[in-house]
Amino acid sequence: MRRFENAQALAAEIGKPIGPGEWFEITQKQIDDYAEATGDNQWIHVDVERAAREAPGGKTIAHGYLLLSLLGKLQPTIYTVDSPRVLNVGLNKLRFLAPVPVNSRIRLTQTVIAADPQGAGLRITTATEIQLEGSDKPAMAAEIVFLYFD
């Protein structure tokens, strides 16, 4: 894990990959808990027996938005920024590119692609990928935008 003194130090990394982070296993309990919290109980996620019969690969798969929600857990495994305030501005170009079967492992990698002054802060955009172990294709890709105030 890398630690940046401030947002300017992170901005100096434009074009350089940061990560990958640690592998993280997606369990059926996590999928079920997410389904319960969101009400998204589609069978492909929560019905293990039906998935074994009917799903490609014979396993349940993680919700795409579960992957998105895990960014808060995965991102600190690759870097932190010592900044007194940071705002999550949002995402650009979010795509779910490959299904993540239960008991698969994922990890995060990011590349700073832009750093733009905005008012009293610095807006930093990262190209972000959640990689799926054993796959050449990422499970998820997006540009994430944070606004840092030092």
Side-chain angles (χ1 to χ4, degrees):
M1 194 259 308
R2 295 183 59 190
R3 183 175 180 170
F4 296 97
E5 181 179 313
N6 53 39
Q8 290 77 18
L10 177 60
E13 297 295 307
I14 287 180
K16 301 175 190 171
I18 303 172
E22 301 167 8
W23 288 111
F24 179 80
E25 185 173 352
I26 300 296
T27 67
Q28 189 62 50
K29 180 173 180 352
Q30 292 161 341
I31 294 169
D32 292 344
D33 289 348
Y34 184 85
E36 178 67 25
T38 63
D40 184 351
N41 292 299
Q42 185 181 27
W43 71 267
I44 194 70
H45 305 301
V46 297
D47 191 333
V48 174
E49 293 171 5
R50 183 174 176 188
R53 291 189 313 268
E54 300 178 33
K59 294 181 176 183
T60 58
I61 60 170
H63 304 74
Y65 288 119
L66 169 58
L67 299 178
L68 180 63
S69 72
L70 288 172
L71 289 175
K73 179 173 187 63
L74 299 173
Q75 194 275 325
T77 71
I78 61 173
Y79 75 88
T80 61
V81 178
D82 296 334
S83 183
R85 290 186 300 146
V86 61
L87 296 174
N88 181 349
V89 175
L91 297 140
N92 302 322
K93 302 178 183 178
L94 174 62
R95 299 291 181 268
F96 301 111
L97 302 168
V100 176
V102 67
N103 301 323
S104 295
R105 294 192 328 158
I106 59 170
R107 67 181 178 185
L108 186 69
T109 187
Q110 293 184 293
T111 302
V112 177
I113 59 172
D116 304 296
Q118 183 173 335
L122 184 60
R123 186 180 64 224
I124 296 184
T125 304
T126 60
T128 301
E129 285 188 356
I130 291 183
Q131 300 171 339
L132 177 61
E133 188 175 38
S135 176
D136 293 334
K137 189 178 204 179
M140 190 194 91
E143 293 177 358
I144 300 178
V145 184
F146 284 102
L147 183 57
Y148 292 90
F149 299 92
D150 289 328

